[in-house]
Amino acid sequence: AGGPSGAGGAVAGVALAAALGDPARALAETASATLEKAPDFVVDLPLLGSTAVSHESLLGYLVLGQVVGFVGASVTGVGLRRRKKELEVLNATLVAVNAELRQREREAKAGVKVNLTSDGERVDADAELARFDVVARLKAGKKLLRECDEGAGDSASAKALAVFEGVVKDLRTDAAIRESLDCAWKAERKAERGASAALRRLGRLPEAITKLKHALVISVRNDDPVGVSDALGSLADVYTETDDLEAAGIAYDAYLQSLSAETDAEILALAAKATEGVVYADA
């Protein structure tokens, strides 16, 4: 058909076939044939001036608009599904990377060594078990100290003391356990500090001071200025609790000097002075 009516039906048929593929061509042709058989009438559109549109063109443009809307909705849906899948893959990747980074951070803070083959595979299961056992016991001791502070009382403190002293004993007597750790001295220092904290909560202050001095000796031997400053501050606090104000004053002075010292050597010298006469043999 020529003229506007034929144009409207042709446009609708082409749009349907392009959007839905060859199987829809028959449907488009059927729709066009139906439009040609429908009664003729013309619609005047006053808002568009003197424009008149035949019924076939009007219906054709209506079908075209529906096809365009359908195609747009289909494309949008496919795009959203693809985007959702990409986001799910990205999220899974980020979760895996974050877990790996957290594991590396935990191992670094624990001062541990992961034995690897040239291919990056872990080896020496016994060493790995020993390493994780030490780390787990240190964490358990810290948890018991927190429970004590939250009202668990002397029972939690006594358990924490037993845990920390057990770690110290194993590190000083079992070479295999020491060798499983990259920085065994850090684990030993933490255990001595933990034991001192437990003794302090139990009111056994002289023993707590001895444990702190052991931690100081370990820090001095391993050039650990941060550990020295922390231990000096704690030592001053415990001396104050014993009413030994002279010793507390000396410890506080050493602590303040360590904070303002310009070199690590100066800090280590302060600790060496504070631990004069302390007997703590190497493991």
Side-chain angles (χ1 to χ4, degrees):
S5 298
V11 170
V14 170
L16 277 171
L20 302 177
D22 291 337
R25 190 175 299 281
L27 179 61
E29 293 175 354
T30 300
S32 297
T34 302
L35 288 173
E36 291 175 356
K37 295 178 181 179
D40 293 334
F41 65 86
V42 175
V43 179
D44 292 324
L45 301 175
L47 295 177
L48 300 178
S50 60
T51 302
V53 182
S54 70
H55 75 288
E56 291 185 4
S57 296
L58 185 63
L59 292 176
Y61 293 140
L62 178 61
V63 171
L64 176 61
Q66 291 177 332
V67 169
V68 171
F70 171 76
V71 172
S74 299
V75 172
T76 301
V78 171
L80 289 175
R81 286 193 294 273
R82 184 183 298 112
R83 180 61 176 164
K84 179 182 178 183
K85 186 174 181 179
E86 291 174 352
L87 289 175
E88 289 175 348
V89 173
L90 177 61
N91 182 62
T93 302
L94 290 175
V95 169
V97 170
N98 185 51
E100 177 65 20
L101 290 176
R102 288 171 62 85
Q103 176 63 23
R104 291 183 182 181
E105 182 180 2
R106 285 194 294 269
E107 291 176 350
K109 287 184 176 179
V112 298
K113 175 178 65 180
V114 180
N115 297 312
L116 304 175
T117 66
S118 58
D119 297 326
E121 298 294 331
R122 291 173 182 251
V123 296
D124 196 346
D126 290 340
E128 289 297 303
L129 288 174
R131 178 176 69 85
F132 281 113
D133 176 66
V134 171
V135 173
R137 284 194 285 167
L138 288 174
K139 289 181 177 179
K142 290 177 66 175
K143 182 180 179 182
L144 287 167
L145 290 179
R146 287 196 298 271
E147 291 177 1
C148 176
D149 294 337
E150 293 168 0
D154 291 349
S155 174
S157 296
K159 291 179 181 178
L161 176 60
V163 169
F164 289 125
E165 287 188 328
V167 172
V168 171
K169 179 182 177 182
D170 289 345
L171 289 172
R172 294 183 64 78
T173 59
D174 193 324
I177 292 178
R178 292 187 66 85
E179 291 173 1
S180 72
L181 300 170
D182 191 26
C183 294
W185 67 267
K186 286 186 178 181
E188 186 177 354
R189 184 201 62 195
K190 290 179 180 180
E192 291 284 8
R193 289 292 303 269
S196 174
L199 288 165
R200 187 175 175 184
R201 287 166 173 77
L202 291 169
R204 295 160 60 178
L205 301 181
E207 294 173 79
I209 290 172
T210 299
K211 289 292 186 181
L212 279 174
K213 288 185 175 181
H214 288 172
L216 268 173
V217 170
I218 294 171
S219 291
V220 171
R221 289 174 179 171
N222 293 278
D223 298 329
D224 174 33
V226 175
V228 165
S229 293
D230 289 344
L232 285 173
S234 297
L235 191 60
D237 291 340
V238 180
Y239 273 130
T240 300
E241 292 179 21
T242 64
D243 293 328
D244 189 344
L245 301 183
E246 181 179 355
I250 294 173
Y252 274 125
D253 286 342
Y255 171 64
L256 294 175
Q257 290 178 49
S258 72
L259 296 179
S260 60
E262 297 182 356
T263 65
D264 291 349
E266 294 180 65
I267 299 175
L268 297 174
L270 292 169
K273 184 176 181 180
T275 55
E276 286 180 357
V278 176
V279 178
Y280 193 70
D282 287 328

